[in-house]
């Protein structure tokens, strides 16, 4: 179809113009004479415009413009017609923008949801029917996680280990005295420097003969059957070396170690590096500082037998443990050349040779070490040790301040016992 030479899409006649019929009729209802259809009215208007006078032509043009304005408003403003469909040579049956055979796609691409042939979603000739202020959902921002603070654990400053004050090392004092002491008979004692003295004690009592750090040598006295009043002999001996106990008596029976009899020729190791040996006649006990021999004497004496003992100092003397020995016999190994105190004393209870009185050496039994001058188990406190400029030891003490050794004169070391 064409209007004054303008070619129109055939679909325009069959579809679009049907939608335009009512508004065109309304726009040209005052035309004279009335026409049968809108297209005829447009032809008449164009014809009148060509043949009318100037005034009539102006009216025709005005009406034509009015009809075209109505057409344009309907086509492009109402949302019911795609402008491209007016001039395309396509088949309306394949119109891609129509689902119901009508050109009902609006100017903004929105489909007429009314499906009633009206231009616009609301059925009104409203060019802005689908136009509205867009709304946008403001996205909720993803919170930025707060980082967990990390803390560096400070390295503690190490507490310096205090350097201990070194304990001085001392050389044991030298011994300048004699090397042998002994007792025998009823009983007669000979000191390490040759002192001679008697100690009769009392029948049935036990006294200490030698006491040092690792050894306690006790003896029990018994009545001597003679015409001498109060005369005694040594009946039993108990020698403790560390924790081991060696027993022997004047009966001549085999000695025992911790209560067990020794075999002839047997040698038994003792505590503190000691040892005991029995040859069938003589018992020998060795320690680091002493060698003690014991045997039965006076076997043919009608008044009774008695124990006899010799004590010999080993190499190094009795001061290798920094403790001066004590006891009725041991105190004479004081390291001073010459006879102890006033020399020989033939008194019956030690006279002036021994420190104190014979009662100060009394023990409860053969294994006791509770006499006044006992040294058994003594421990030297080196923090109190005194030495000269050359490092020679002058004096040693125990932890309680008791003197254990004094070079040159051990009288002070002989005054007190060591608590044990």
């Amino acid at each position: 179809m064409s209007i004054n030479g303008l070619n129109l899409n055939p679909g325009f006649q069959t579809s679009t113009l049907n939608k335009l019929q009512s508004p065109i009729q309304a726009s040209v209802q005052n035309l004279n004479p009335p026409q049968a259809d809108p297209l005829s009215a447009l032809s008449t208007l164009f014809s009148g415009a060509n043949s009318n006078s100037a005034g009539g032509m102006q009216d025709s043009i005005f009406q034509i413009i009015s009809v075209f304005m109505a057409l344009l408003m309907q086509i492009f403003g109402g949302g019911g017609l795609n402008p491209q469909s007016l001039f395309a040579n396509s088949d309306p049956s394949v119109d891609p923008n129509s689902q119901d055979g009508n050109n009902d796609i609006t100017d903004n691409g929105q489909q007429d949801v009314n499906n009633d042939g009206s231009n616009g979603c609301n059925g009104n000739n409203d060019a802005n029917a689908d136009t509205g202020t867009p709304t946008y959902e403001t996205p909720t921002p993803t919170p930025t996680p707060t980082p967990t603070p990390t803390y560096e654990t400070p390295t503690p400053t190490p507490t310096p280990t205090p350097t201990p004050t070194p304990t001085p090392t001392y050389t044991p004092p030298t011994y300048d005295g004699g090397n042998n002491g002994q007792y025998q008979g009823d009983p007669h004692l000979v000191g390490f420097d040759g002192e001679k003295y008697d100690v009769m004690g009392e029948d049935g009592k036990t006294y200490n003969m030698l006491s040092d750090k690792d050894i306690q040598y006790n003896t029990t006295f018994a009545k001597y059957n003679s015409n001498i009043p109060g005369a005694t002999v040594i009946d039993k001996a108990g020698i403790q070396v560390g924790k081991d106990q060696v027993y022997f008596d004047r009966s001549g029976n085999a000695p025992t170690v911790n209560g067990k009899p020794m075999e002839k020729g047997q040698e038994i190791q003792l505590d503190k590096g000691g040892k005991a040996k029995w040859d069938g006649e003589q018992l020998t006990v060795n320690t680091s500082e002493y060698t003690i021999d014991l045997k039965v004497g006076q076997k043919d004496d009608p008044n009774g037998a008695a124990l006899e003992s010799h004590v010999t100092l080993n190499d190094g003397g009795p001061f290798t443990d920094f403790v001066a020995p004590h006891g009725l016999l041991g105190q004479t190994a004081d390291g001073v050349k010459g006879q102890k105190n006033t020399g020989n004393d033939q008194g019956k209870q030690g006279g002036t040779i021994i420190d104190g009185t014979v009662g100060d050496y009394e023990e409860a039994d053969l294994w006791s070490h509770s006499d006044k001058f006992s040294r058994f188990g003594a421990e030297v406190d080196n923090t109190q040790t005194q030495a000269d400029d050359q490092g020679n030891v002058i004096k040693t003490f125990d932890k309680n301040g008791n003197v254990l050794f004094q070079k040159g004169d051990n009288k002070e070391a002989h005054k007190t016992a060591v608590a044990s």
Side-chain angles (χ1 to χ4, degrees):
M1 170 178 244
S2 64
I3 301 176
N4 270 3
L6 178 67
N7 291 325
L8 298 177
N9 188 333
F12 179 83
Q13 180 179 3
T14 60
S15 176
T16 305
L17 292 182
N18 289 334
K19 293 182 181 181
L20 299 176
Q21 183 175 357
S22 294
I24 292 174
Q25 288 176 347
S27 301
V28 297
Q29 60 183 345
N30 294 322
L31 290 178
N32 186 21
Q35 299 299 313
D37 54 66
L39 293 179
S40 298
L42 287 174
S43 298
T44 300
L45 288 173
F46 279 109
S47 299
N50 293 326
S51 60
N52 286 343
S53 63
M57 184 175 181
Q58 290 176 354
D59 291 338
S60 297
I61 291 173
F62 177 80
Q63 290 178 340
I64 291 171
I65 292 171
S66 298
V67 170
F68 269 97
M69 288 296 292
L71 288 172
L72 291 174
M73 290 290 290
Q74 183 67 26
I75 295 170
F76 299 111
L81 182 64
N82 185 340
Q84 292 180 354
S85 66
L86 290 174
F87 309 104
N89 293 320
S90 61
D91 188 342
S93 64
V94 293
D95 181 4
N97 295 319
S98 174
Q99 294 180 354
D100 55 0
N102 298 318
N103 287 331
D104 55 359
I105 302 301
T106 66
D107 62 333
N108 58 5
Q110 297 295 322
Q111 191 172 16
D112 181 8
V113 297
N114 295 316
N115 271 332
D116 55 3
S118 62
N119 285 333
C121 292
N122 54 8
N124 297 321
N125 291 324
D126 184 359
N128 297 315
D130 290 338
T131 302
T133 301
T135 60
Y136 302 96
E137 181 179 355
T138 303
T140 303
T142 302
T144 302
T146 302
T148 302
T150 58
Y151 302 96
E152 181 178 354
T153 303
T155 302
T157 302
T159 302
T161 302
T163 302
T165 303
T167 301
T169 301
Y170 299 106
T171 301
T174 58
Y175 177 75
D176 296 327
N179 291 324
N180 295 281
Q182 61 178 297
Y183 67 80
Q184 62 181 356
D186 56 347
H188 307 293
L189 280 68
V190 179
F192 286 89
D193 282 325
E195 305 93 337
K196 296 180 180 179
Y197 53 103
D198 293 341
V199 178
M200 298 176 64
E202 295 184 32
D203 179 21
K205 290 189 176 182
T206 299
Y207 302 93
N208 175 251
M209 281 288 173
L210 171 66
S211 181
D212 208 335
K213 179 179 178 180
D214 295 329
I215 186 171
Q216 182 82 1
Y217 179 8
N218 294 341
T219 56
T220 299
F221 288 30
K223 182 179 179 181
Y224 179 52
N225 297 320
S226 70
N227 56 0
I228 302 174
T232 58
V233 292
I234 295 180
D235 180 36
K236 302 173 184 177
I239 304 172
Q240 182 162 349
V241 181
K243 64 182 180 180
D244 291 324
Q245 298 174 344
V246 182
Y247 172 82
F248 189 51
D249 63 38
R250 62 175 176 165
S251 69
N253 294 328
T256 64
V257 177
N258 299 323
K260 184 177 180 180
M262 297 181 68
E263 300 290 338
K264 183 178 179 180
Q266 184 179 13
E267 183 175 281
I268 298 176
Q269 296 298 315
L270 304 176
D271 193 19
K272 304 295 183 181
K275 61 183 179 181
K277 182 177 180 180
W278 170 243
D279 66 6
E281 293 289 334
Q282 180 173 287
L283 169 66
T284 301
V285 176
N286 283 306
T287 70
S288 61
E289 295 179 330
Y290 305 96
T291 297
I292 301 172
D293 296 325
L294 272 165
K295 66 179 182 179
V296 179
Q298 303 179 178
K299 292 181 180 179
D300 298 330
D301 189 329
N303 294 318
L307 285 180
E308 296 179 355
S309 178
H310 288 77
V311 180
T312 303
L313 298 178
N314 295 335
D315 293 343
F319 300 154
T320 58
D321 54 9
F322 298 92
V323 177
H326 213 284
L328 291 172
L329 181 61
Q331 64 188 287
T332 62
D334 57 4
V336 179
K337 290 182 178 180
Q339 295 178 335
K340 185 178 185 296
N341 295 334
T342 59
N344 293 331
D345 191 322
Q346 297 300 318
K348 303 303 181 183
Q349 299 293 358
T352 60
I353 302 297
I354 65 172
D355 296 321
T357 66
V358 69
D360 293 331
Y361 301 85
E362 188 175 341
E363 298 284 3
D365 55 44
L366 288 174
W367 314 118
S368 173
H369 43 85
S370 58
D371 68 273
K372 182 177 178 180
F373 304 109
S374 176
R375 293 291 181 265
F376 187 68
E379 292 292 342
V380 175
D381 181 3
N382 278 334
T383 63
Q384 301 184 63
T385 297
Q386 298 177 8
D388 61 20
D389 294 340
Q390 288 72 42
N392 299 314
V393 173
I394 298 173
K395 213 175 204 181
T396 63
F397 304 82
D398 67 5
K399 63 181 180 180
N400 297 318
N402 296 316
V403 178
L404 301 179
F405 166 81
Q406 183 172 352
K407 185 175 179 62
D409 186 356
N410 273 298
K411 288 181 179 179
E412 187 174 357
H414 294 163
K415 290 180 181 178
T416 57
V418 176
S420 58

